[in-house]
Amino acid sequence: MFLFKDAKPIGEEGIEWLKVHLANCGDFGKVSKKTFDKRIKWTNDNLERIKDCATKDWDCGGPLTPEALSFWTQADKPFLFLAACIELTNALAYGPGYVCGLPCSWDGSCSGAQHLCAATRSEDAWKVNLIGNDEVHDLYTIVGNAAKQSMARDTDPMVSTILAYEGDWRKVFKRNTMTTFYGSKGFGMAQQHMDDLMEPLSREVMQKKRAKHPFGQTRKEHHAASRLLAAHAAAAIKGEIPLAIKAMEFIQKLSAMMAHEGKPLEWTTPIGLPWSNRYHDPVTERVNLWMHDHGVRRPFRPVVADGYKKTINKNHSVNGSAPNFVHACDAAHLLRTVNAARAEGITQFALVHDSFGSLPSHAARFRQIIREEFVRMYEEHDVLTEVLEQAKCDLDEHNDKLSALVDMRADLTGKLNIKEVLNAEYAFAYPKLSEPDTKGEYADGKYKTEGTATEDYTERFQEEIQKVADDNFPGKKNVHLPWKETKEGDIAFIFKNPKKKPILTDSRGKPLKEGTVIRGGSKIRIAGVIAAWEKGAKRGVSLWPDAVRVIKLSEGFDANAAFGAAEDGFNADDYEPTNFGNDGEDADNDADDAEAGDDAFKL
């Protein structure tokens, strides 16, 4: 129920992302594992129930109908879901100008596996959504299916009992899979099944919700089933993403080699912070204390720690090395993402481990930054080689086992092109270039699209825009002009959606299919007007796109069109859109609502 202090107008696209966030928090029918379009559809289909949760009199004890109470309390994350219901209801009532402060969070897809797949360039990265795809992949389900198949071939008499279970198999294997990349092994994985599966089922039997326990009537049977589930889960994980598991083994062997020489495994993370996998046994002593209770004096001799031994605890160092390494990669990515986002004016963050939260009005760009920084981190840093090189510097010169680890590192390289993460919609984020204009004095909350042109045309176009400004506001200062300088030093022209929705076409003049999105790298032609406007003390020039023709599509953004004769290039019939894009109608009473001049432009 927390809200950011510095809220922003949500905008049309922010409303769509809030719908996705709401569906994620509810996760009814596992909708969070479906495409964003389907999550938005789920929210739209359930709007009346959502509004019913949000509009009841909370001062009088909450929702007044049993249906509303049952709905939000059955959500996967009830209070996050309820907060999203309230904010979405308000946003739909007040429109894109609604000032929303609710954090919308976007989580990694089994982030431990994601980092290890990126570090090894594993071709299995698609299983954790690091490769662009029209559908959402789920490693927990993949592992669950593989484990069930291997159990079907097992001769253990307990197998038939386990396979007869009719519960959620994804949930059965989720924790095993997730925690493997943070150090879980056979014993711990079996205990997870006892805690997460066997014990809850036992309670259901005691509460008479079940006639009998599906895995047997004794704790001995429950432990046997848990051990079998854990064994097949571990084998399935190793089989589905082998390079990630081998990378963990590589780090563990490095740590063991360092600990054998009495040294910690050390490294400098991609954010520039020192990392030391250092474990020491505590120095302990027994002290004499007295306990007093109602005049009774009793001796008490507890053991307390007083510093640490100088020697390295080899077992703890080896067991902790791989999960600590993955945590360091997680943390470095998070910090790099925050720094990059702050550089672009995004300052509201709700962060937990691999969960990245910010305002819904920032969601489109923030999610793109998350992926961009992930790619940059693994382009700039070969993390496995870096930790190996540091170990080579710290180990004794004549360590005869080091060459084996050098060879092992060489074998830990797949064929993944790390740049594919930029198009991976379901890794952390879904990119869209159009975003609410919320920065600066002339921010109006509308969606804008930015485009660059050739150097020669850029210069001529700037002259045309400046001429319109000079003709309409002679001698006036502080006239807002629709361009900015990019980080690369180019000039990006800013186009804002007019009140009417432009028509979108491909290179042959055919209308684009609904939902087509145009991302950076696409080649387009734009036809529209250069409009001078003045509102109160503010004045400026805006670019209104009337139509957009897509010559080359680079998977992405919202397009607009209606030109003349057909041209060679992109054909809309060959493209099936996979994401949502809804220009919608722009807000009223905007400074850009001034009448457009006759000065037309083409890009």
Side-chain angles (χ1 to χ4, degrees):
M1 306 295 280
F2 289 103
L3 300 176
F4 287 119
K5 175 178 177 289
D6 299 320
K8 304 285 184 184
I10 190 169
E12 289 285 356
E13 193 173 15
I15 291 175
E16 297 299 293
W17 284 118
L18 181 55
K19 290 178 180 179
V20 173
H21 173 72
L22 185 147
N24 289 345
C25 294
D27 202 19
F28 293 97
K30 301 297 179 185
V31 70
S32 69
K33 310 303 177 291
K34 298 178 182 177
T35 63
F36 290 121
D37 285 342
K38 291 179 179 178
R39 295 181 218 183
I40 291 171
K41 183 179 184 302
W42 181 91
T43 300
N44 291 335
D45 290 346
N46 289 276
L47 272 180
E48 291 307 313
R49 300 176 74 190
I50 289 166
K51 291 178 181 179
D52 193 34
C53 291
T55 57
K56 297 304 179 182
D57 188 356
W58 283 89
D59 293 331
C60 296
L64 301 181
T65 64
E67 292 79 9
L69 181 62
S70 174
F71 185 44
W72 78 263
T73 55
Q74 295 302 311
D76 183 55
K77 299 170 182 173
F79 285 101
L80 290 177
F81 178 74
L82 178 60
C85 289
I86 294 170
E87 288 300 295
L88 179 61
T89 300
N90 290 338
L92 294 175
Y94 293 100
Y98 175 69
V99 178
C100 179
L102 182 71
C104 286
S105 296
W106 319 103
D107 297 355
S109 178
C110 194
S111 66
Q114 285 181 318
H115 283 284
L116 291 169
C117 284
T120 58
R121 300 299 194 271
S122 171
E123 295 97 320
D124 293 314
W126 65 268
K127 297 173 183 176
V128 286
N129 295 302
L130 288 184
I131 296 175
N133 206 302
D134 295 346
E135 58 182 307
V136 185
H137 295 288
D138 181 59
L139 181 61
Y140 309 131
T141 299
I142 293 170
V143 167
N145 291 337
K148 287 177 68 178
Q149 290 173 10
S150 70
M151 278 191 287
R153 299 187 294 270
D154 198 320
T155 58
D156 192 300
M158 178 60 73
V159 165
S160 58
T161 300
I162 293 175
L163 293 179
Y165 178 60
E166 297 179 352
D168 184 348
W169 280 97
R170 178 186 182 275
K171 187 175 181 181
V172 168
F173 290 103
K174 177 179 178 178
R175 192 175 172 200
N176 278 180
T177 307
M178 178 173 57
T179 58
T180 290
F181 308 102
Y182 297 101
S184 285
K185 294 183 179 179
F187 178 82
M189 293 167 74
Q191 188 58 47
Q192 289 170 4
H193 288 301
M194 286 296 297
D195 295 340
D196 300 344
L197 184 62
M198 304 302 166
E199 296 296 342
L201 290 172
S202 294
R203 286 194 293 271
E204 289 183 13
V205 173
M206 292 175 63
Q207 296 165 355
K208 302 199 181 301
K209 293 180 180 179
R210 286 179 177 270
K212 62 179 182 178
H213 198 294
F215 293 97
Q217 304 310 306
T218 66
R219 286 188 64 81
K220 183 177 179 180
E221 290 173 302
H222 301 167
H223 278 291
S226 295
R227 288 192 296 271
L228 192 60
L229 285 167
H232 284 278
I237 295 164
K238 188 172 183 177
E240 292 298 332
I241 41 176
L243 274 183
I245 299 299
K246 288 178 181 178
M248 294 178 66
E249 294 171 354
F250 169 76
I251 295 295
Q252 289 165 349
K253 289 181 178 180
L254 267 182
S255 180
M257 192 176 295
M258 295 295 297
H260 184 71
E261 294 187 3
K263 301 171 183 175
L265 181 63
E266 296 184 323
W267 167 55
T268 300
T269 74
I271 200 66
L273 293 175
W275 174 87
S276 182
N277 187 63
R278 179 185 293 273
Y279 289 86
H280 297 270
D281 286 324
V283 175
T284 61
E285 63 175 306
R286 191 172 292 278
V287 296
N288 294 319
L289 298 176
W290 294 92
M291 297 184 66
H292 299 265
D293 184 22
H294 295 85
V296 178
R297 190 164 177 258
R298 295 182 54 227
F300 177 52
R301 302 186 67 212
V303 175
V304 298
D306 182 20
Y308 292 92
K309 297 178 181 178
K310 291 183 178 180
T311 55
I312 295 286
N313 184 313
K314 184 174 180 178
N315 287 337
H316 286 176
S317 294
V318 171
N319 291 335
S321 59
N324 288 342
F325 177 78
V326 174
H327 276 302
C329 293
D330 263 329
H333 175 224
L334 185 147
L335 288 168
R336 289 174 64 110
T337 298
V338 169
N339 288 339
R342 282 185 60 85
E344 296 194 20
I346 299 174
T347 58
Q348 296 83 14
F349 303 104
L351 307 165
V352 182
H353 185 50
D354 66 336
S355 177
F356 298 78
S358 190
L359 291 170
S361 53
H362 291 156
R365 180 60 190 141
F366 186 49
R367 299 172 128 239
Q368 198 169 15
I369 291 171
I370 295 168
R371 286 199 314 283
E372 288 172 356
E373 287 306 311
F374 189 89
V375 170
R376 286 194 187 104
M377 186 170 102
Y378 284 105
E379 282 185 327
E380 296 170 2
H381 296 273
D382 181 346
V383 292
L384 294 173
T385 299
E386 287 175 5
V387 75
L388 172 62
E389 291 300 317
Q390 182 64 51
K392 287 165 67 175
C393 293
D394 296 338
L395 286 167
D396 292 341
E397 281 186 40
H398 304 294
N399 193 310
D400 57 356
K401 296 181 180 179
L402 187 57
S403 60
L405 285 178
V406 173
D407 294 339
M408 185 178 183
R409 171 64 192 102
D411 293 336
L412 289 174
T413 304
K415 298 179 181 179
L416 170 69
N417 178 358
I418 196 64
K419 285 188 178 293
E420 291 192 42
V421 176
L422 294 174
N423 297 318
E425 300 175 1
Y426 301 103
F428 296 91
Y430 170 79
K432 215 169 185 187
L433 300 183
S434 180
E435 63 181 59
D437 185 7
T438 58
K439 300 177 185 176
E441 182 181 3
Y442 294 94
D444 53 22
K446 284 190 175 183
Y447 293 99
K448 63 182 181 183
T449 297
E450 299 171 6
T452 58
T454 63
E455 185 175 345
D456 177 63
Y457 185 83
T458 295
E459 186 175 335
R460 289 188 289 114
F461 194 28
Q462 283 182 299
E463 290 176 357
E464 288 293 320
I465 295 171
Q466 187 64 59
K467 184 177 183 299
V468 173
D470 293 343
D471 290 346
N472 285 274
F473 310 112
K476 299 285 188 180
K477 296 182 178 180
N478 299 323
V479 178
H480 176 63
L481 299 175
W483 68 68
K484 71 175 187 179
E485 185 172 337
T486 67
K487 292 180 179 179
E488 293 76 21
D490 299 322
I491 295 298
F493 295 102
I494 302 168
F495 305 93
K496 292 190 177 181
N497 292 347
K499 293 192 71 172
K500 63 178 182 179
K501 183 176 181 179
I503 305 169
L504 319 178
T505 67
D506 64 8
S507 59
R508 293 171 174 76
K510 298 177 183 177
L512 298 187
K513 296 177 182 179
E514 184 178 355
T516 301
V517 174
I518 308 171
R519 296 191 179 101
S522 297
K523 182 178 180 181
I524 61 175
R525 293 180 61 214
I526 302 177
V529 295
I530 303 174
W533 55 266
E534 189 167 17
K535 188 173 183 180
K538 297 179 181 180
R539 62 190 66 85
V541 177
S542 291
L543 305 179
W544 287 8
D546 287 330
V548 173
R549 169 170 288 174
V550 181
I551 308 303
K552 176 186 175 184
L553 188 68
S554 179
E555 267 301 294
F557 259 82
D558 288 338
N560 333 310
F563 286 86
E567 300 176 76
D568 291 339
F570 170 66
N571 186 340
D573 291 337
D574 299 330
Y575 179 71
E576 289 296 334
T578 59
N579 28 24
F580 66 82
N582 191 357
D583 289 330
E585 297 298 324
D586 282 341
D588 292 331
N589 302 320
D590 184 87
D592 288 1
D593 289 350
E595 286 190 18
D598 294 330
D599 303 89
F601 68 86
K602 290 185 178 179
L603 243 180

